[in-house]
Amino acid sequence: REVAKSNFDLVIGGGRAVKFLLKEVKAKSPETKTVFLPSVNGVYGQLKSFLRPEFYVLIKGSRSIGLDRVLDDIMKVKNI
């Protein structure tokens, strides 16, 4: 519920367990873009076009699907 109240520009959910979160964000914060990805494979591809200063993104999911690898990819990007 706190996520839905926050001012994220984008919320990406990975894995089946976060579908409820994305629905709640859409309902309570319609200006926030939400993206559901069933696996970690597409997360960075969806995210990289948004990476810029002052753009707030929440990536929510489980380490069991490997979302920590997405953070590794983000940290490799320069000048954001």
Side-chain angles (χ1 to χ4, degrees):
R1 293 179 189 204
E2 295 303 313
V3 171
K5 294 183 216 174
S6 298
N7 290 320
F8 291 105
D9 296 301
L10 172 66
V11 177
I12 296 177
R16 293 180 299 212
V18 298
K19 282 186 177 181
F20 77 93
L21 171 67
L22 297 178
K23 286 180 184 177
E24 190 169 333
V25 169
K26 274 189 165 193
K28 294 186 177 177
S29 183
E31 68 281 355
T32 300
K33 181 172 173 56
T34 59
V35 177
F36 171 74
L37 298 165
S39 73
V40 72
N41 296 329
V43 175
Y44 185 70
Q46 287 280 330
L47 181 60
K48 68 182 177 180
S49 66
F50 293 102
L51 295 177
R52 63 184 180 273
E54 304 302 318
F55 192 85
Y56 298 95
V57 177
L58 173 68
I59 303 171
K60 180 68 178 142
S62 169
R63 282 184 175 239
S64 67
I65 66 165
L67 277 176
D68 47 326
R69 292 190 322 237
V70 175
L71 182 58
D72 292 340
D73 290 339
I74 292 169
M75 298 305 291
K76 292 175 190 172
V77 176
K78 302 280 188 206
N79 299 321
I80 59 169

Coordinates of all heavy atoms in Angstrom, one line a residue:
R1 N 0.8 -1.2 0.0 CA 0.0 0.0 0.0 C 0.8 1.2 0.0 O 0.5 2.2 -0.6 CB -0.9 0.0 1.2 CG -1.9 -1.1 1.0 CD -2.9 -1.3 2.1 NE -3.6 -2.5 1.8 CZ -4.8 -2.8 2.2 NH1 -5.4 -2.0 3.0 NH2 -5.3 -3.9 1.9
E2 N 2.0 1.2 0.7 CA 2.9 2.4 0.7 C 3.4 2.6 -0.7 O 3.6 3.8 -1.1 CB 4.0 2.2 1.7 CG 3.5 2.1 3.1 CD 2.7 3.3 3.5 OE1 3.2 4.5 3.3 OE2 1.7 3.2 4.1
V3 N 3.7 1.6 -1.5 CA 4.2 1.8 -2.8 C 3.2 2.5 -3.7 O 3.5 3.4 -4.4 CB 4.6 0.4 -3.4 CG1 4.9 0.6 -4.9 CG2 5.8 -0.2 -2.7
A4 N 2.0 2.2 -3.5 CA 0.9 2.8 -4.3 C 0.8 4.3 -4.0 O 0.4 5.1 -4.8 CB -0.4 2.1 -4.1
K5 N 1.2 4.7 -2.8 CA 1.1 6.1 -2.4 C 2.3 6.9 -2.8 O 2.3 8.1 -2.7 CB 0.9 6.2 -0.9 CG -0.4 5.7 -0.3 CD -0.4 5.9 1.2 CE -1.1 4.8 1.9 NZ -1.0 5.0 3.4
S6 N 3.4 6.2 -3.1 CA 4.7 6.8 -3.5 C 4.6 7.5 -4.8 O 3.7 7.3 -5.6 CB 5.8 5.8 -3.4 OG 5.9 5.3 -2.1
N7 N 5.6 8.3 -5.1 CA 5.7 9.0 -6.4 C 6.7 8.4 -7.3 O 7.5 9.1 -8.0 CB 6.1 10.5 -6.1 CG 5.0 11.2 -5.4 OD1 3.8 11.0 -5.7 ND2 5.3 12.0 -4.4
F8 N 6.6 7.1 -7.5 CA 7.5 6.5 -8.5 C 7.0 6.8 -9.9 O 5.8 6.9 -10.1 CB 7.5 4.9 -8.3 CG 8.2 4.5 -7.1 CD1 7.5 4.1 -6.0 CD2 9.6 4.5 -7.0 CE1 8.1 3.6 -4.9 CE2 10.2 4.1 -5.9 CZ 9.5 3.7 -4.8
D9 N 7.9 6.9 -10.9 CA 7.5 7.1 -12.2 C 7.2 5.8 -12.9 O 6.3 5.8 -13.8 CB 8.6 7.8 -13.0 CG 8.9 9.2 -12.5 OD1 8.0 10.0 -12.5 OD2 10.1 9.4 -12.0
L10 N 7.8 4.8 -12.4 CA 7.7 3.4 -13.0 C 7.8 2.4 -12.0 O 8.7 2.5 -11.1 CB 8.8 3.2 -14.1 CG 8.9 1.8 -14.7 CD1 7.7 1.5 -15.5 CD2 10.1 1.8 -15.6
V11 N 6.9 1.4 -12.0 CA 7.0 0.2 -11.1 C 7.0 -1.0 -12.0 O 6.1 -1.2 -12.7 CB 5.8 0.2 -10.1 CG1 6.0 -1.1 -9.2 CG2 5.8 1.4 -9.2
I12 N 8.1 -1.8 -11.9 CA 8.2 -3.0 -12.6 C 8.1 -4.1 -11.7 O 8.8 -4.2 -10.6 CB 9.6 -3.1 -13.3 CG1 9.7 -1.9 -14.4 CG2 9.8 -4.4 -14.0 CD1 11.0 -1.9 -15.1
G13 N 7.2 -5.1 -12.0 CA 7.1 -6.2 -11.1 C 7.5 -7.5 -11.9 O 7.2 -7.7 -13.0
G14 N 8.3 -8.3 -11.2 CA 8.8 -9.5 -11.8 C 8.4 -10.7 -11.0 O 8.5 -10.7 -9.8
G15 N 7.8 -11.6 -11.7 CA 7.3 -12.8 -11.0 C 5.8 -12.7 -10.7 O 5.3 -11.6 -10.5
R16 N 5.2 -13.8 -10.5 CA 3.7 -13.9 -10.3 C 3.3 -13.2 -9.0 O 2.2 -12.7 -8.9 CB 3.2 -15.3 -10.3 CG 3.3 -15.9 -11.7 CD 2.8 -17.3 -11.7 NE 3.6 -18.1 -10.7 CZ 3.9 -19.3 -10.8 NH1 3.4 -20.0 -11.8 NH2 4.7 -19.9 -9.9
A17 N 4.1 -13.2 -8.0 CA 3.7 -12.8 -6.7 C 3.5 -11.3 -6.6 O 2.8 -10.8 -5.6 CB 4.8 -13.2 -5.6
V18 N 3.9 -10.5 -7.5 CA 3.7 -9.1 -7.4 C 2.6 -8.5 -8.3 O 2.4 -7.3 -8.3 CB 5.0 -8.3 -7.8 CG1 6.2 -8.7 -6.8 CG2 5.4 -8.6 -9.2
K19 N 1.8 -9.4 -8.9 CA 0.7 -8.9 -9.7 C -0.3 -8.0 -8.9 O -0.7 -7.0 -9.4 CB 0.0 -10.1 -10.4 CG 0.6 -10.6 -11.6 CD -0.2 -11.7 -12.2 CE 0.4 -12.2 -13.5 NZ -0.4 -13.2 -14.1
F20 N -0.5 -8.4 -7.7 CA -1.4 -7.7 -6.8 C -0.9 -6.3 -6.6 O -1.7 -5.3 -6.5 CB -1.7 -8.4 -5.5 CG -0.5 -8.3 -4.5 CD1 -0.5 -7.3 -3.6 CD2 0.5 -9.2 -4.6 CE1 0.5 -7.2 -2.7 CE2 1.6 -9.1 -3.7 CZ 1.6 -8.1 -2.8
L21 N 0.4 -6.2 -6.4 CA 1.0 -4.8 -6.2 C 0.8 -3.9 -7.3 O 0.4 -2.8 -7.2 CB 2.5 -5.0 -5.9 CG 3.3 -3.7 -5.8 CD1 2.9 -2.9 -4.6 CD2 4.8 -4.0 -5.8
L22 N 1.0 -4.4 -8.5 CA 0.9 -3.6 -9.7 C -0.6 -3.1 -9.9 O -0.8 -2.0 -10.3 CB 1.4 -4.4 -11.0 CG 2.9 -4.7 -11.0 CD1 3.2 -5.5 -12.2 CD2 3.7 -3.5 -10.8
K23 N -1.5 -4.0 -9.6 CA -2.9 -3.6 -9.7 C -3.3 -2.5 -8.7 O -4.0 -1.6 -9.0 CB -3.8 -4.8 -9.4 CG -3.9 -5.8 -10.6 CD -4.8 -7.0 -10.2 CE -4.7 -8.0 -11.3 NZ -5.6 -9.2 -11.0
E24 N -2.7 -2.6 -7.5 CA -3.0 -1.6 -6.5 C -2.3 -0.3 -6.9 O -2.9 0.8 -6.7 CB -2.4 -2.1 -5.1 CG -2.8 -1.2 -4.0 CD -2.5 -1.8 -2.7 OE1 -2.5 -3.0 -2.5 OE2 -2.4 -1.0 -1.7
V25 N -1.1 -0.3 -7.4 CA -0.5 0.9 -7.9 C -1.3 1.6 -9.0 O -1.5 2.8 -9.0 CB 1.0 0.6 -8.4 CG1 1.6 1.8 -9.1 CG2 1.9 0.2 -7.2
K26 N -1.8 0.8 -10.0 CA -2.6 1.4 -11.0 C -3.9 2.0 -10.5 O -4.3 3.1 -11.0 CB -3.0 0.3 -12.0 CG -2.0 0.1 -13.1 CD -2.5 -0.9 -14.2 CE -1.6 -0.8 -15.4 NZ -2.2 -1.3 -16.5
A27 N -4.5 1.4 -9.5 CA -5.7 1.9 -9.0 C -5.5 3.2 -8.2 O -6.3 4.1 -8.2 CB -6.4 0.8 -8.1
K28 N -4.4 3.3 -7.4 CA -4.2 4.4 -6.5 C -3.3 5.5 -7.1 O -3.3 6.6 -6.5 CB -3.7 3.9 -5.2 CG -4.7 3.0 -4.4 CD -4.2 2.7 -3.1 CE -5.3 1.9 -2.4 NZ -4.9 1.4 -1.1
S29 N -2.6 5.1 -8.1 CA -1.6 6.1 -8.7 C -1.6 5.9 -10.2 O -0.6 5.4 -10.8 CB -0.2 5.9 -8.1 OG 0.7 6.8 -8.6
P30 N -2.7 6.3 -10.9 CA -2.8 6.1 -12.3 C -1.8 6.7 -13.2 O -1.5 6.3 -14.3 CB -4.2 6.6 -12.7 CG -4.7 7.3 -11.5 CD -3.9 7.0 -10.3
E31 N -1.1 7.7 -12.7 CA 0.0 8.4 -13.5 C 1.3 7.6 -13.4 O 2.2 7.8 -14.2 CB 0.2 9.8 -13.0 CG 0.8 9.9 -11.6 CD -0.2 9.8 -10.4 OE1 -1.4 9.6 -10.7 OE2 0.3 9.7 -9.3
T32 N 1.4 6.6 -12.5 CA 2.6 5.8 -12.5 C 2.5 4.6 -13.5 O 1.5 3.9 -13.6 CB 2.7 5.1 -11.1 OG1 2.8 6.2 -10.1 CG2 3.9 4.2 -11.0
K33 N 3.5 4.5 -14.3 CA 3.5 3.4 -15.3 C 3.9 2.1 -14.6 O 4.7 2.1 -13.8 CB 4.6 3.7 -16.4 CG 4.7 2.7 -17.5 CD 5.6 3.1 -18.6 CE 5.8 2.1 -19.6 NZ 4.7 1.5 -20.2
T34 N 3.2 1.1 -14.9 CA 3.4 -0.2 -14.4 C 3.7 -1.2 -15.5 O 3.1 -1.2 -16.6 CB 2.3 -0.8 -13.5 OG1 1.1 -0.9 -14.3 CG2 2.0 0.2 -12.3
V35 N 4.7 -2.1 -15.2 CA 5.0 -3.1 -16.2 C 5.2 -4.5 -15.4 O 5.8 -4.5 -14.4 CB 6.4 -2.8 -16.9 CG1 6.8 -3.9 -17.8 CG2 6.3 -1.5 -17.6
F36 N 4.5 -5.5 -15.9 CA 4.6 -6.8 -15.3 C 5.4 -7.7 -16.3 O 5.2 -7.7 -17.5 CB 3.3 -7.5 -15.1 CG 3.4 -8.9 -14.7 CD1 3.8 -9.3 -13.5 CD2 3.2 -10.0 -15.6 CE1 4.0 -10.6 -13.1 CE2 3.4 -11.3 -15.3 CZ 3.8 -11.6 -14.0
L37 N 6.4 -8.3 -15.7 CA 7.2 -9.3 -16.5 C 7.3 -10.6 -15.8 O 7.6 -10.6 -14.6 CB 8.7 -8.7 -16.7 CG 8.7 -7.4 -17.5 CD1 10.1 -6.7 -17.3 CD2 8.4 -7.6 -18.9
P38 N 6.9 -11.7 -16.4 CA 6.8 -13.0 -15.7 C 8.2 -13.5 -15.3 O 8.3 -14.4 -14.5 CB 6.1 -13.9 -16.7 CG 6.3 -13.2 -18.1 CD 6.5 -11.7 -17.8
S39 N 9.3 -13.0 -16.0 CA 10.6 -13.5 -15.6 C 11.6 -12.3 -15.7 O 11.3 -11.3 -16.2 CB 11.1 -14.6 -16.5 OG 11.4 -14.1 -17.8
V40 N 12.7 -12.5 -15.2 CA 13.8 -11.5 -15.1 C 14.3 -11.1 -16.5 O 14.9 -10.1 -16.7 CB 14.9 -11.9 -14.1 CG1 15.7 -13.0 -14.7 CG2 15.8 -10.7 -13.8
N41 N 14.1 -12.0 -17.4 CA 14.7 -11.8 -18.8 C 14.4 -10.5 -19.4 O 15.2 -10.0 -20.2 CB 14.4 -13.0 -19.7 CG 14.9 -14.3 -19.1 OD1 16.0 -14.3 -18.5 ND2 14.2 -15.4 -19.4
G42 N 13.2 -10.0 -19.3 CA 12.9 -8.8 -20.0 C 13.0 -7.5 -19.1 O 12.7 -6.4 -19.6
V43 N 13.3 -7.6 -17.9 CA 13.3 -6.4 -17.0 C 14.3 -5.3 -17.5 O 13.9 -4.2 -17.6 CB 13.6 -6.8 -15.5 CG1 13.6 -5.6 -14.7 CG2 12.5 -7.7 -15.0
Y44 N 15.5 -5.6 -17.7 CA 16.5 -4.6 -18.0 C 16.1 -4.0 -19.4 O 16.2 -2.8 -19.6 CB 17.9 -5.1 -18.0 CG 18.9 -4.0 -18.3 CD1 19.1 -3.1 -17.4 CD2 19.6 -3.9 -19.5 CE1 20.0 -2.0 -17.6 CE2 20.4 -2.9 -19.8 CZ 20.7 -2.0 -18.8 OH 21.5 -0.9 -19.0
G45 N 15.7 -4.8 -20.3 CA 15.3 -4.3 -21.6 C 14.1 -3.2 -21.5 O 14.1 -2.2 -22.2
Q46 N 13.2 -3.5 -20.6 CA 12.1 -2.5 -20.4 C 12.6 -1.3 -19.7 O 12.1 -0.2 -19.9 CB 11.0 -3.2 -19.5 CG 10.2 -4.2 -20.2 CD 9.1 -3.6 -21.1 OE1 8.6 -2.5 -20.8 NE2 8.8 -4.2 -22.2
L47 N 13.5 -1.5 -18.8 CA 14.0 -0.4 -17.9 C 15.0 0.5 -18.6 O 14.9 1.7 -18.3 CB 14.6 -1.0 -16.7 CG 15.1 -0.1 -15.6 CD1 14.0 0.7 -15.0 CD2 15.8 -0.9 -14.5
K48 N 15.8 0.1 -19.4 CA 17.0 0.9 -19.9 C 16.5 2.2 -20.6 O 17.2 3.2 -20.5 CB 17.9 0.1 -20.7 CG 17.4 -0.4 -22.0 CD 18.5 -1.2 -22.7 CE 18.0 -1.7 -24.0 NZ 19.0 -2.5 -24.7
S49 N 15.4 2.2 -21.3 CA 15.0 3.4 -21.9 C 14.5 4.5 -20.9 O 14.4 5.6 -21.3 CB 13.9 3.1 -22.9 OG 12.7 2.7 -22.2
F50 N 14.2 4.1 -19.7 CA 13.8 5.0 -18.7 C 14.9 5.6 -17.8 O 14.7 6.5 -17.1 CB 12.8 4.4 -17.7 CG 11.5 4.0 -18.4 CD1 11.2 2.7 -18.8 CD2 10.5 5.0 -18.6 CE1 10.0 2.4 -19.4 CE2 9.3 4.7 -19.2 CZ 9.1 3.4 -19.6
L51 N 16.1 5.0 -17.9 CA 17.2 5.3 -16.9 C 17.7 6.7 -17.3 O 18.3 7.0 -18.3 CB 18.3 4.3 -17.0 CG 18.0 2.9 -16.5 CD1 19.2 2.0 -16.7 CD2 17.5 2.9 -15.1
R52 N 17.4 7.6 -16.4 CA 17.9 9.0 -16.5 C 17.8 9.7 -15.1 O 17.0 9.2 -14.2 CB 17.1 9.8 -17.5 CG 15.7 10.0 -17.2 CD 15.0 10.7 -18.4 NE 13.6 10.8 -18.1 CZ 12.6 10.0 -18.4 NH1 12.9 8.8 -18.9 NH2 11.4 10.2 -18.1
P53 N 18.5 10.7 -14.9 CA 18.5 11.4 -13.6 C 17.0 11.9 -13.3 O 16.3 12.2 -14.2 CB 19.4 12.6 -13.8 CG 20.3 12.2 -14.9 CD 19.5 11.4 -15.8
E54 N 16.7 11.8 -12.0 CA 15.4 12.3 -11.5 C 14.2 11.4 -12.0 O 13.1 11.9 -11.9 CB 15.2 13.7 -11.9 CG 16.2 14.7 -11.4 CD 16.5 14.6 -9.9 OE1 15.5 14.6 -9.1 OE2 17.6 14.6 -9.4
F55 N 14.4 10.2 -12.4 CA 13.3 9.3 -12.8 C 13.4 8.2 -11.7 O 14.4 7.5 -11.6 CB 13.5 8.8 -14.2 CG 12.3 8.0 -14.7 CD1 11.3 8.8 -15.3 CD2 12.2 6.7 -14.6 CE1 10.2 8.1 -15.8 CE2 11.1 6.0 -15.1 CZ 10.1 6.8 -15.7
Y56 N 12.3 8.0 -11.0 CA 12.2 7.1 -9.9 C 11.6 5.8 -10.3 O 10.4 5.8 -10.7 CB 11.5 7.7 -8.7 CG 12.3 9.0 -8.2 CD1 11.9 10.2 -8.6 CD2 13.4 8.8 -7.4 CE1 12.6 11.3 -8.2 CE2 14.1 9.9 -7.0 CZ 13.7 11.2 -7.4 OH 14.5 12.3 -7.0
V57 N 12.3 4.7 -10.1 CA 11.8 3.4 -10.5 C 11.9 2.5 -9.3 O 12.9 2.4 -8.6 CB 12.7 2.8 -11.6 CG1 12.3 1.4 -12.0 CG2 12.7 3.8 -12.8
L58 N 10.8 1.7 -9.1 CA 10.9 0.6 -8.2 C 10.8 -0.7 -8.9 O 9.9 -0.9 -9.8 CB 9.6 0.7 -7.2 CG 9.5 -0.5 -6.3 CD1 10.6 -0.5 -5.3 CD2 8.1 -0.5 -5.6
I59 N 11.7 -1.6 -8.7 CA 11.7 -2.9 -9.2 C 11.4 -3.9 -8.1 O 12.2 -4.0 -7.1 CB 13.1 -3.3 -9.8 CG1 13.5 -2.3 -10.9 CG2 13.0 -4.7 -10.4 CD1 14.9 -2.4 -11.4
K60 N 10.3 -4.5 -8.2 CA 9.8 -5.4 -7.1 C 9.6 -6.8 -7.5 O 9.1 -7.1 -8.6 CB 8.5 -4.8 -6.6 CG 7.9 -5.6 -5.4 CD 8.7 -5.5 -4.2 CE 8.0 -6.2 -3.0 NZ 9.0 -6.9 -2.2
G61 N 10.2 -7.7 -6.8 CA 10.1 -9.1 -7.1 C 10.9 -9.9 -6.2 O 11.2 -9.5 -5.1
S62 N 11.3 -11.1 -6.6 CA 11.9 -12.0 -5.7 C 13.3 -12.3 -6.2 O 13.6 -12.4 -7.4 CB 11.1 -13.3 -5.7 OG 11.8 -14.3 -5.1
R63 N 14.2 -12.5 -5.3 CA 15.6 -13.0 -5.7 C 15.5 -14.3 -6.3 O 16.4 -14.7 -7.1 CB 16.5 -13.0 -4.5 CG 17.0 -11.7 -4.1 CD 18.0 -11.9 -2.9 NE 18.5 -10.6 -2.6 CZ 19.8 -10.3 -2.6 NH1 20.7 -11.2 -2.9 NH2 20.3 -9.1 -2.4
S64 N 14.5 -15.1 -6.1 CA 14.4 -16.4 -6.6 C 14.2 -16.4 -8.1 O 14.5 -17.3 -8.8 CB 13.2 -17.2 -6.0 OG 12.0 -16.6 -6.4
I65 N 13.7 -15.2 -8.7 CA 13.7 -15.1 -10.2 C 14.9 -14.4 -10.7 O 15.0 -14.1 -11.9 CB 12.4 -14.5 -10.7 CG1 12.2 -13.1 -10.3 CG2 11.2 -15.4 -10.3 CD1 11.1 -12.3 -11.0
G66 N 15.8 -13.9 -9.8 CA 17.0 -13.3 -10.3 C 17.0 -11.8 -10.5 O 17.8 -11.3 -11.2
L67 N 16.1 -11.1 -9.8 CA 16.0 -9.7 -10.0 C 17.3 -8.9 -9.5 O 17.5 -7.8 -10.0 CB 14.8 -9.1 -9.3 CG 13.5 -9.2 -10.1 CD1 12.3 -8.7 -9.3 CD2 13.6 -8.4 -11.4
D68 N 18.1 -9.5 -8.7 CA 19.3 -8.9 -8.2 C 20.3 -8.7 -9.4 O 21.1 -7.8 -9.5 CB 20.0 -9.7 -7.1 CG 20.1 -11.1 -7.3 OD1 19.1 -11.7 -8.0 OD2 21.0 -11.7 -6.9
R69 N 20.1 -9.5 -10.5 CA 20.9 -9.4 -11.7 C 20.6 -8.1 -12.4 O 21.4 -7.5 -13.1 CB 20.7 -10.6 -12.6 CG 21.3 -11.9 -12.1 CD 21.3 -13.0 -13.1 NE 20.1 -12.9 -14.0 CZ 19.3 -13.9 -14.2 NH1 19.5 -15.1 -13.5 NH2 18.3 -13.8 -15.0
V70 N 19.3 -7.7 -12.3 CA 18.9 -6.4 -13.0 C 19.7 -5.2 -12.3 O 20.2 -4.3 -13.0 CB 17.4 -6.2 -12.9 CG1 17.0 -4.9 -13.4 CG2 16.7 -7.3 -13.6
L71 N 19.8 -5.2 -11.0 CA 20.5 -4.2 -10.4 C 22.0 -4.2 -10.8 O 22.6 -3.1 -11.1 CB 20.5 -4.3 -8.8 CG 21.2 -3.3 -8.0 CD1 20.6 -1.9 -8.4 CD2 21.1 -3.5 -6.6
D72 N 22.6 -5.3 -11.0 CA 24.0 -5.4 -11.5 C 24.0 -4.7 -12.9 O 25.0 -4.0 -13.2 CB 24.4 -6.9 -11.6 CG 24.6 -7.5 -10.3 OD1 24.8 -6.8 -9.2 OD2 24.6 -8.8 -10.2
D73 N 23.1 -5.0 -13.8 CA 23.0 -4.4 -15.1 C 22.9 -2.9 -15.0 O 23.6 -2.1 -15.7 CB 21.9 -4.9 -15.9 CG 22.1 -6.4 -16.4 OD1 23.3 -6.8 -16.4 OD2 21.1 -7.0 -16.7
I74 N 22.0 -2.4 -14.1 CA 21.8 -1.0 -13.9 C 23.1 -0.3 -13.5 O 23.5 0.8 -13.9 CB 20.7 -0.7 -12.9 CG1 19.4 -1.1 -13.6 CG2 20.6 0.8 -12.6 CD1 18.2 -1.1 -12.6
M75 N 23.8 -0.9 -12.5 CA 25.0 -0.3 -12.0 C 26.1 -0.2 -13.0 O 27.0 0.6 -12.9 CB 25.5 -1.1 -10.8 CG 24.5 -1.1 -9.6 SD 23.9 0.5 -9.1 CE 25.4 1.1 -8.3
K76 N 26.0 -0.9 -14.1 CA 27.1 -0.9 -15.2 C 26.8 0.3 -16.1 O 27.7 0.7 -16.8 CB 27.0 -2.1 -16.0 CG 27.5 -3.4 -15.3 CD 27.3 -4.6 -16.1 CE 27.5 -5.9 -15.3 NZ 27.2 -7.1 -16.1
V77 N 25.6 0.9 -16.0 CA 25.3 2.0 -16.9 C 26.0 3.3 -16.4 O 25.9 3.6 -15.2 CB 23.8 2.2 -17.0 CG1 23.5 3.5 -17.8 CG2 23.2 1.0 -17.6
K78 N 26.7 4.0 -17.2 CA 27.3 5.3 -16.8 C 26.4 6.5 -17.0 O 25.5 6.5 -17.8 CB 28.6 5.5 -17.6 CG 29.6 4.4 -17.6 CD 30.4 4.4 -16.4 CE 31.5 3.4 -16.5 NZ 31.9 2.9 -15.2
N79 N 26.7 7.5 -16.2 CA 26.0 8.8 -16.4 C 24.5 8.8 -16.1 O 23.7 9.5 -16.9 CB 26.3 9.4 -17.8 CG 27.7 9.6 -18.0 OD1 28.5 10.0 -17.1 ND2 28.2 9.3 -19.2
I80 N 24.0 8.1 -15.2 CA 22.6 8.2 -14.8 C 22.5 8.7 -13.4 O 23.4 8.7 -12.6 CB 21.9 6.9 -14.9 CG1 22.5 5.8 -14.0 CG2 21.8 6.4 -16.4 CD1 21.6 4.6 -13.9

